[in-house]
Short mmCIF file of all heavy atoms in Angstrom, two decimals:
data_model
loop_
_atom_site.label_atom_id
_atom_site.label_comp_id
_atom_site.label_asym_id
_atom_site.label_seq_id
_atom_site.Cartn_x
_atom_site.Cartn_y
_atom_site.Cartn_z
N ARG A 124 16.19 -195.35 -74.55
CA ARG A 124 15.70 -194.12 -73.91
C ARG A 124 15.41 -192.99 -74.90
O ARG A 124 14.92 -191.93 -74.50
CB ARG A 124 16.72 -193.64 -72.88
CG ARG A 124 16.80 -194.57 -71.67
CD ARG A 124 17.72 -194.04 -70.60
NE ARG A 124 17.76 -194.94 -69.46
CZ ARG A 124 18.58 -194.80 -68.43
NH1 ARG A 124 19.43 -193.79 -68.38
NH2 ARG A 124 18.56 -195.66 -67.44
N ASN A 125 15.74 -193.20 -76.17
CA ASN A 125 15.53 -192.14 -77.17
C ASN A 125 16.13 -190.81 -76.70
O ASN A 125 15.51 -189.75 -76.81
CB ASN A 125 14.03 -191.96 -77.46
CG ASN A 125 13.49 -193.06 -78.35
OD1 ASN A 125 14.11 -194.10 -78.52
ND2 ASN A 125 12.31 -192.83 -78.93
N ASP A 126 17.34 -190.89 -76.21
CA ASP A 126 18.03 -189.73 -75.67
C ASP A 126 19.11 -189.29 -76.65
O ASP A 126 20.15 -189.93 -76.76
CB ASP A 126 18.66 -190.09 -74.32
CG ASP A 126 19.39 -188.91 -73.69
OD1 ASP A 126 19.40 -187.81 -74.28
OD2 ASP A 126 19.97 -189.10 -72.59
N PRO A 127 18.90 -188.18 -77.37
CA PRO A 127 19.88 -187.75 -78.37
C PRO A 127 21.21 -187.27 -77.79
O PRO A 127 22.16 -187.04 -78.55
CB PRO A 127 19.17 -186.59 -79.09
CG PRO A 127 17.73 -186.72 -78.74
CD PRO A 127 17.70 -187.33 -77.38
N SER A 128 21.30 -187.12 -76.46
CA SER A 128 22.56 -186.65 -75.89
C SER A 128 23.69 -187.64 -76.13
O SER A 128 24.86 -187.26 -76.10
CB SER A 128 22.41 -186.39 -74.38
OG SER A 128 22.23 -187.60 -73.67
N TRP A 129 23.36 -188.90 -76.39
CA TRP A 129 24.41 -189.88 -76.67
C TRP A 129 25.23 -189.45 -77.90
O TRP A 129 26.43 -189.71 -77.96
CB TRP A 129 23.82 -191.26 -76.93
CG TRP A 129 23.12 -191.87 -75.76
CD1 TRP A 129 21.77 -192.07 -75.63
CD2 TRP A 129 23.70 -192.35 -74.54
NE1 TRP A 129 21.48 -192.65 -74.42
CE2 TRP A 129 22.65 -192.83 -73.73
CE3 TRP A 129 25.01 -192.42 -74.06
CZ2 TRP A 129 22.87 -193.38 -72.47
CZ3 TRP A 129 25.23 -192.97 -72.80
CH2 TRP A 129 24.17 -193.44 -72.02
N VAL A 130 24.57 -188.83 -78.88
CA VAL A 130 25.25 -188.53 -80.13
C VAL A 130 25.52 -187.04 -80.32
O VAL A 130 25.96 -186.62 -81.39
CB VAL A 130 24.45 -189.07 -81.34
CG1 VAL A 130 24.41 -190.59 -81.31
CG2 VAL A 130 23.03 -188.50 -81.38
N ARG A 131 25.28 -186.24 -79.30
CA ARG A 131 25.64 -184.83 -79.39
C ARG A 131 27.14 -184.68 -79.11
O ARG A 131 27.75 -185.48 -78.40
CB ARG A 131 24.84 -183.99 -78.42
CG ARG A 131 23.34 -183.98 -78.69
CD ARG A 131 22.71 -182.70 -78.20
NE ARG A 131 23.00 -181.58 -79.08
CZ ARG A 131 22.70 -180.31 -78.79
NH1 ARG A 131 22.13 -180.01 -77.63
NH2 ARG A 131 22.98 -179.35 -79.63
N HIS A 132 27.73 -183.64 -79.67
CA HIS A 132 29.16 -183.43 -79.51
C HIS A 132 29.50 -183.16 -78.05
O HIS A 132 28.71 -182.59 -77.29
CB HIS A 132 29.63 -182.27 -80.38
CG HIS A 132 29.47 -182.53 -81.85
ND1 HIS A 132 30.14 -183.54 -82.50
CD2 HIS A 132 28.72 -181.91 -82.80
CE1 HIS A 132 29.82 -183.54 -83.78
NE2 HIS A 132 28.95 -182.57 -83.98
N ARG A 133 30.70 -183.54 -77.67
CA ARG A 133 31.16 -183.31 -76.30
C ARG A 133 31.16 -181.82 -75.96
O ARG A 133 30.89 -181.43 -74.83
CB ARG A 133 32.58 -183.88 -76.14
CG ARG A 133 32.66 -185.39 -76.27
CD ARG A 133 32.35 -186.11 -74.97
NE ARG A 133 33.47 -186.03 -74.05
CZ ARG A 133 33.46 -185.44 -72.86
NH1 ARG A 133 32.35 -184.84 -72.44
NH2 ARG A 133 34.52 -185.44 -72.09
N ALA A 134 31.41 -180.97 -76.96
CA ALA A 134 31.51 -179.53 -76.72
C ALA A 134 30.18 -178.92 -76.27
O ALA A 134 30.17 -177.85 -75.65
CB ALA A 134 31.99 -178.82 -77.98
N VAL A 135 29.07 -179.60 -76.57
CA VAL A 135 27.76 -179.07 -76.17
C VAL A 135 27.13 -179.96 -75.10
O VAL A 135 25.91 -179.96 -74.92
CB VAL A 135 26.82 -178.92 -77.39
CG1 VAL A 135 27.33 -177.83 -78.31
CG2 VAL A 135 26.65 -180.24 -78.14
N GLY A 136 27.95 -180.73 -74.41
CA GLY A 136 27.45 -181.50 -73.29
C GLY A 136 27.00 -182.91 -73.62
O GLY A 136 26.44 -183.59 -72.75
N GLY A 137 27.22 -183.36 -74.85
CA GLY A 137 26.82 -184.71 -75.22
C GLY A 137 27.89 -185.73 -74.90
O GLY A 137 28.96 -185.40 -74.38
N MET A 138 27.61 -186.99 -75.23
CA MET A 138 28.56 -188.07 -74.98
C MET A 138 29.61 -188.18 -76.08
O MET A 138 30.64 -188.81 -75.89
CB MET A 138 27.82 -189.41 -74.87
CG MET A 138 26.94 -189.51 -73.65
SD MET A 138 27.88 -189.60 -72.11
CE MET A 138 26.54 -189.77 -70.94
N GLY A 139 29.31 -187.62 -77.24
CA GLY A 139 30.29 -187.64 -78.32
C GLY A 139 30.32 -188.91 -79.13
O GLY A 139 31.28 -189.16 -79.87
N LEU A 140 29.27 -189.74 -79.03
CA LEU A 140 29.20 -190.94 -79.86
C LEU A 140 28.74 -190.57 -81.26
O LEU A 140 28.22 -189.48 -81.49
CB LEU A 140 28.27 -191.98 -79.22
CG LEU A 140 28.57 -192.33 -77.76
CD1 LEU A 140 27.63 -193.42 -77.27
CD2 LEU A 140 30.02 -192.75 -77.58
N ASP A 141 28.91 -191.49 -82.20
CA ASP A 141 28.68 -191.15 -83.61
C ASP A 141 27.26 -191.48 -84.08
O ASP A 141 26.76 -190.83 -84.99
CB ASP A 141 29.70 -191.90 -84.48
CG ASP A 141 31.12 -191.51 -84.13
OD1 ASP A 141 31.54 -190.43 -84.52
OD2 ASP A 141 31.80 -192.30 -83.43
N ALA A 142 26.64 -192.48 -83.49
CA ALA A 142 25.29 -192.86 -83.91
C ALA A 142 24.64 -193.66 -82.79
O ALA A 142 25.31 -194.08 -81.83
CB ALA A 142 25.35 -193.69 -85.20
N GLN A 143 23.32 -193.87 -82.90
CA GLN A 143 22.62 -194.69 -81.93
C GLN A 143 21.49 -195.44 -82.62
O GLN A 143 20.91 -194.97 -83.60
CB GLN A 143 22.07 -193.87 -80.77
CG GLN A 143 20.94 -192.93 -81.12
CD GLN A 143 20.48 -192.12 -79.91
OE1 GLN A 143 21.25 -191.35 -79.33
NE2 GLN A 143 19.23 -192.29 -79.52
N TRP A 144 21.20 -196.61 -82.11
CA TRP A 144 20.06 -197.37 -82.63
C TRP A 144 18.78 -196.62 -82.27
O TRP A 144 18.65 -196.05 -81.19
CB TRP A 144 20.03 -198.75 -82.01
CG TRP A 144 20.91 -199.75 -82.72
CD1 TRP A 144 22.02 -199.47 -83.46
CD2 TRP A 144 20.75 -201.17 -82.74
NE1 TRP A 144 22.57 -200.63 -83.93
CE2 TRP A 144 21.80 -201.69 -83.51
CE3 TRP A 144 19.83 -202.04 -82.18
CZ2 TRP A 144 21.95 -203.06 -83.74
CZ3 TRP A 144 19.99 -203.40 -82.40
CH2 TRP A 144 21.03 -203.90 -83.18
N ALA A 145 17.81 -196.66 -83.20
CA ALA A 145 16.53 -196.00 -83.00
C ALA A 145 15.42 -196.98 -83.41
O ALA A 145 15.23 -197.23 -84.61
CB ALA A 145 16.45 -194.71 -83.80
N ASP A 146 14.71 -197.52 -82.44
CA ASP A 146 13.71 -198.56 -82.72
C ASP A 146 12.40 -198.02 -83.26
O ASP A 146 11.60 -198.78 -83.80
CB ASP A 146 13.43 -199.36 -81.44
CG ASP A 146 14.58 -200.28 -81.06
OD1 ASP A 146 15.38 -200.63 -81.94
OD2 ASP A 146 14.67 -200.64 -79.87
N ASP A 147 12.13 -196.73 -83.06
CA ASP A 147 10.81 -196.20 -83.41
C ASP A 147 10.43 -196.45 -84.87
O ASP A 147 9.28 -196.80 -85.16
CB ASP A 147 10.76 -194.69 -83.13
CG ASP A 147 10.58 -194.37 -81.66
OD1 ASP A 147 10.26 -195.30 -80.89
OD2 ASP A 147 10.75 -193.21 -81.27
N LEU A 148 11.36 -196.24 -85.79
CA LEU A 148 11.05 -196.44 -87.20
C LEU A 148 10.70 -197.90 -87.47
O LEU A 148 9.76 -198.20 -88.19
CB LEU A 148 12.21 -195.98 -88.08
CG LEU A 148 11.93 -195.97 -89.58
CD1 LEU A 148 10.83 -194.98 -89.93
CD2 LEU A 148 13.20 -195.64 -90.37
N HIS A 149 11.47 -198.80 -86.86
CA HIS A 149 11.15 -200.22 -87.01
C HIS A 149 9.74 -200.52 -86.53
O HIS A 149 8.94 -201.18 -87.21
CB HIS A 149 12.13 -201.09 -86.22
CG HIS A 149 11.66 -202.51 -86.05
ND1 HIS A 149 10.82 -202.90 -85.03
CD2 HIS A 149 11.87 -203.61 -86.80
CE1 HIS A 149 10.54 -204.18 -85.15
NE2 HIS A 149 11.17 -204.64 -86.21
N HIS A 150 9.41 -200.02 -85.33
CA HIS A 150 8.11 -200.35 -84.74
C HIS A 150 6.96 -199.82 -85.59
O HIS A 150 5.95 -200.51 -85.79
CB HIS A 150 8.02 -199.76 -83.33
CG HIS A 150 9.00 -200.37 -82.36
ND1 HIS A 150 9.72 -201.51 -82.63
CD2 HIS A 150 9.38 -199.98 -81.11
CE1 HIS A 150 10.49 -201.81 -81.60
NE2 HIS A 150 10.31 -200.89 -80.66
N ALA A 151 7.11 -198.60 -86.10
CA ALA A 151 6.05 -198.02 -86.92
C ALA A 151 5.84 -198.82 -88.20
O ALA A 151 4.70 -199.12 -88.60
CB ALA A 151 6.38 -196.56 -87.24
N ILE A 152 6.94 -199.16 -88.88
CA ILE A 152 6.82 -199.93 -90.12
C ILE A 152 6.27 -201.33 -89.83
O ILE A 152 5.42 -201.84 -90.56
CB ILE A 152 8.19 -200.01 -90.83
CG1 ILE A 152 8.62 -198.63 -91.31
CG2 ILE A 152 8.12 -200.98 -92.02
CD1 ILE A 152 10.01 -198.59 -91.92
N HIS A 153 6.75 -201.95 -88.75
CA HIS A 153 6.31 -203.30 -88.41
C HIS A 153 4.79 -203.34 -88.18
O HIS A 153 4.10 -204.22 -88.70
CB HIS A 153 7.03 -203.79 -87.16
CG HIS A 153 6.72 -205.20 -86.79
ND1 HIS A 153 7.42 -206.28 -87.30
CD2 HIS A 153 5.76 -205.73 -85.98
CE1 HIS A 153 6.90 -207.40 -86.82
NE2 HIS A 153 5.90 -207.09 -86.01
N VAL A 154 4.28 -202.40 -87.41
CA VAL A 154 2.84 -202.37 -87.15
C VAL A 154 2.07 -202.07 -88.44
O VAL A 154 1.01 -202.64 -88.70
CB VAL A 154 2.50 -201.35 -86.06
CG1 VAL A 154 1.00 -201.21 -85.88
CG2 VAL A 154 3.15 -201.77 -84.73
N ALA A 155 2.63 -201.20 -89.28
CA ALA A 155 1.95 -200.84 -90.53
C ALA A 155 1.77 -202.05 -91.45
O ALA A 155 0.73 -202.18 -92.11
CB ALA A 155 2.73 -199.74 -91.25
N VAL A 156 2.75 -202.95 -91.49
CA VAL A 156 2.66 -204.06 -92.44
C VAL A 156 2.11 -205.33 -91.80
O VAL A 156 1.61 -206.21 -92.52
CB VAL A 156 4.02 -204.35 -93.10
CG1 VAL A 156 4.51 -203.14 -93.88
CG2 VAL A 156 5.08 -204.81 -92.09
N THR A 157 2.20 -205.46 -90.45
CA THR A 157 1.71 -206.69 -89.81
C THR A 157 0.39 -206.51 -89.10
O THR A 157 -0.36 -207.47 -88.92
CB THR A 157 2.73 -207.21 -88.77
OG1 THR A 157 2.80 -206.27 -87.68
CG2 THR A 157 4.10 -207.41 -89.40
N GLY A 158 0.09 -205.29 -88.65
CA GLY A 158 -1.10 -205.06 -87.85
C GLY A 158 -0.96 -205.46 -86.40
O GLY A 158 -1.92 -205.32 -85.62
N GLU A 159 0.21 -205.93 -85.97
CA GLU A 159 0.41 -206.32 -84.57
C GLU A 159 0.43 -205.08 -83.67
O GLU A 159 1.15 -204.12 -83.95
CB GLU A 159 1.73 -207.09 -84.41
CG GLU A 159 1.77 -208.41 -85.12
CD GLU A 159 3.09 -209.15 -84.92
OE1 GLU A 159 4.03 -208.55 -84.35
OE2 GLU A 159 3.17 -210.32 -85.32
N THR A 160 -0.31 -205.14 -82.59
CA THR A 160 -0.34 -203.99 -81.67
C THR A 160 -0.25 -204.42 -80.22
O THR A 160 -0.62 -203.66 -79.32
CB THR A 160 -1.63 -203.16 -81.87
OG1 THR A 160 -2.77 -204.01 -81.70
CG2 THR A 160 -1.66 -202.50 -83.24
N ASP A 161 0.22 -205.64 -79.94
CA ASP A 161 0.36 -206.03 -78.54
C ASP A 161 1.77 -205.76 -78.06
O ASP A 161 2.66 -205.39 -78.83
CB ASP A 161 -0.03 -207.50 -78.33
CG ASP A 161 0.81 -208.45 -79.17
OD1 ASP A 161 1.51 -207.97 -80.09
OD2 ASP A 161 0.76 -209.67 -78.93
N GLY A 162 1.99 -205.93 -76.75
CA GLY A 162 3.30 -205.64 -76.19
C GLY A 162 3.67 -204.18 -76.40
O GLY A 162 2.83 -203.28 -76.33
N TYR A 163 4.93 -203.93 -76.70
CA TYR A 163 5.37 -202.54 -76.89
C TYR A 163 4.85 -201.94 -78.18
O TYR A 163 4.94 -200.73 -78.39
CB TYR A 163 6.89 -202.42 -76.81
CG TYR A 163 7.68 -203.42 -77.62
CD1 TYR A 163 7.82 -203.31 -79.00
CD2 TYR A 163 8.33 -204.47 -76.98
CE1 TYR A 163 8.56 -204.21 -79.73
CE2 TYR A 163 9.09 -205.38 -77.70
CZ TYR A 163 9.20 -205.25 -79.07
OH TYR A 163 9.94 -206.16 -79.79
#
């Protein structure tokens, strides 16, 4: 969901987790080197 609230501190209304997976960087690099543009 690309929702940063997972890793925001509990004091500011977040979930208080330490990190989250972020697929966007993978997808951008993958398309840049492979040229694949189908699916997601």
Side-chain angles (χ1 to χ4, degrees):
R124 291 185 179 173
N125 284 16
D126 180 1
S128 69
W129 296 110
V130 294
R131 297 208 75 188
H132 295 297
R133 295 275 283 117
V135 293
M138 292 291 182
L140 308 183
D141 299 284
Q143 68 181 62
W144 276 26
D146 288 338
D147 282 348
L148 187 63
H149 166 274
H150 295 348
I152 294 175
H153 184 88
V154 174
V156 299
T157 67
E159 295 181 352
T160 56
D161 58 347
Y163 48 76

